[in-house]
Amino acid sequence: MEFSRDRLTWVAYGLLAWFAYLQAAPGLIVGHLRDEFGLSYSTGGLHVAAFAAGALVAGLASGPIERAVGRRALFWGSAALMALGAVGLVAGRAAQATIGSLFVMGIAGGLLLVTIQALLADHHGERRAVALTEANVAASVAYVVLIGALSLAAAAGAGWRAAVLASLAVPALAWWFNRRLAIATPARQATADGRRRLPAAFWVAATMLFCTTAVEWCITAWGASFVEDAANVSADAAVSVMVGYFGGVVAGRVAGSGLARRHSVHRLLALALVISAVGFAILWSSASSLQALLGLALLGVGIGNLFPLGLSVTVALAPDQAQQASGKAVFMTSFAVLLAPLTVGTLADATSLTAALAVVPVALACAATGLTIVTRTARREAVRPL
């Protein structure tokens, strides 16, 4: 069956890219907020944590809400609520206001993310993997667009708020030109899937996924602040250097999606962990913008593949319980997004940001250990006699 990108697919890609743009924004603007409001590292970390906490709430509430109002209303309603939260972030003039706005954005964005993923999976059926992979690349491209928008806004003297507000044109235009587009909730058959226990190896893989997501969000949330301190540059210059990281994520995901068709996912994930470790070593020891840029680019290539490959390995361990396994995996990654940046911020207040980022190699080592256990388990299952 040929894969077809119809209007509904493109709308979903566009809204997911917009979600990714705003999801990545807190980690890049937290340096500006710390300067404006005189915030500590831990309070700065609360901005990223608030978005993640909202997404956790959304993960629990999305099912009942969809059943109550339908997928179409949830799709456009969550986009509208996320836009409203973004306006609150821009208008906020105190940490309480910006953190609260990001919590609202997290709830709305989480609802939008769950809806888009379900929409693409249901709409494309057996070709859902292609749609979800392309959506992931679209999200990565949005990260690079965000860097460009923030750099352009800074050069024009408009500030980061202009870059956030400009993005609101995406959902507004998407709704205006597609407001009559059919977005139906498919009929679903009840299953006993949720009453079955997931295998032990799944939980090892889910813990590995937690660790890799923690690594990703430590860099996303604190990479710009680290560059600002290590290279002794301005917040705007540090954000510009982060283009290396987000560009690496795009390149890594595009390359990884092609390689995954010909090579073992386990081996590719191991390679991604190695590349991430090398990139972090270069970044961690950097004293110039150029070295930081190189480290961030390598980190992006490695980290860009950790989530999609890790999710593939994790869900494959429970092939007959895909919905249950996916739900647990999303919960673990959301928890990592909530915990990791806040932990680094708290440790940075007690020591330094450089010392606090030692969390990254520890998490990579734990992920590598988990991958080793899962790979050996998979090999034993493969040779077990029927």
Side-chain angles (χ1 to χ4, degrees):
M1 184 176 70
E2 289 295 324
F3 179 75
S4 175
R5 302 178 194 88
D6 56 8
R7 177 181 287 248
L8 182 60
T9 303
W10 285 115
V11 170
Y13 286 179
L15 268 292
L16 184 62
W18 175 65
F19 161 81
Y21 181 102
L22 290 182
Q23 183 190 38
L28 296 177
I29 67 174
V30 69
H32 294 289
L33 293 173
R34 287 181 57 236
D35 292 342
E36 289 179 28
F37 303 149
L39 306 178
S40 64
Y41 282 116
S42 56
T43 304
L46 283 174
H47 287 79
V48 178
F51 193 104
L56 276 175
V57 173
L60 297 174
S62 59
I65 294 175
E66 181 177 341
R67 288 191 293 271
V69 304
R71 180 169 292 178
R72 184 176 185 278
L74 180 57
F75 181 81
W76 293 118
S78 57
L81 182 59
M82 192 174 191
L84 184 62
V87 172
L89 173 65
V90 168
R93 290 297 181 268
Q96 294 89 337
T98 52
I99 291 171
S101 295
L102 282 166
F103 180 70
V104 172
M105 288 172 65
I107 294 175
L111 292 172
L112 182 61
L113 176 62
V114 170
T115 305
I116 289 173
Q117 290 177 338
L119 184 158
L120 288 173
D122 291 330
H123 188 59
H124 290 283
E126 294 179 0
R127 306 294 288 172
R128 65 176 64 88
V130 178
L132 292 172
T133 300
E134 290 188 351
N136 213 8
V137 172
S140 303
V141 172
Y143 298 152
V144 179
V145 173
L146 173 61
I147 295 288
L150 289 171
S151 299
L152 182 62
W160 64 266
R161 290 178 172 84
V164 172
L165 286 176
S167 77
L168 302 187
V170 173
L173 291 173
W175 176 81
W176 179 256
F177 289 107
N178 301 281
R179 59 189 183 278
R180 294 184 177 87
L181 183 66
I183 305 176
T185 305
R188 300 184 184 275
Q189 294 182 352
T191 69
D193 192 45
R195 294 194 290 271
R196 296 171 57 192
R197 288 187 177 183
L198 292 162
F202 168 86
W203 293 108
V204 176
T207 302
M208 174 192 71
L209 197 59
F210 172 90
C211 292
T212 56
T213 304
V215 168
E216 178 179 354
W217 280 91
C218 283
I219 301 302
T220 300
W222 294 111
S225 294
F226 176 82
V227 172
E228 183 180 356
D229 295 343
N232 193 26
V233 296
S234 68
D236 288 330
V239 168
S240 297
V241 172
M242 284 293 287
V243 73
Y245 172 69
F246 291 113
V249 169
V250 174
R253 285 183 173 171
V254 170
S257 64
L259 291 172
R261 299 173 185 175
R262 302 187 300 274
H263 299 281
S264 164
V265 176
H266 291 77
R267 289 182 179 179
L268 291 176
L269 183 54
L271 178 60
L273 287 169
V274 171
I275 294 174
S276 299
V278 172
F280 180 75
I282 295 173
L283 173 67
W284 209 19
S285 61
S286 64
S288 68
S289 297
L290 183 60
Q291 184 177 344
L293 180 65
L294 175 61
L296 285 167
L298 278 176
L299 259 174
V301 171
I303 287 177
N305 284 292
L306 293 183
F307 174 74
L309 294 177
L311 183 63
S312 177
V313 168
T314 303
V315 175
L317 291 166
D320 297 327
Q321 300 165 266
Q323 183 176 356
Q324 184 183 4
S326 297
K328 299 298 183 184
V330 168
F331 177 83
M332 293 292 280
T333 55
S334 297
F335 186 51
V337 175
L338 173 63
L339 185 63
L342 188 58
T343 298
V344 169
T346 302
L347 290 174
D349 284 333
T351 55
S352 68
L353 185 55
T354 300
L357 284 175
V359 167
V360 171
V362 172
L364 287 173
C366 291
T369 301
L371 177 61
T372 301
I373 294 171
V374 168
T375 302
R376 289 178 177 174
T377 300
R379 287 174 179 170
R380 285 197 301 269
E381 291 293 331
V383 300
R384 179 177 297 176
L386 297 175

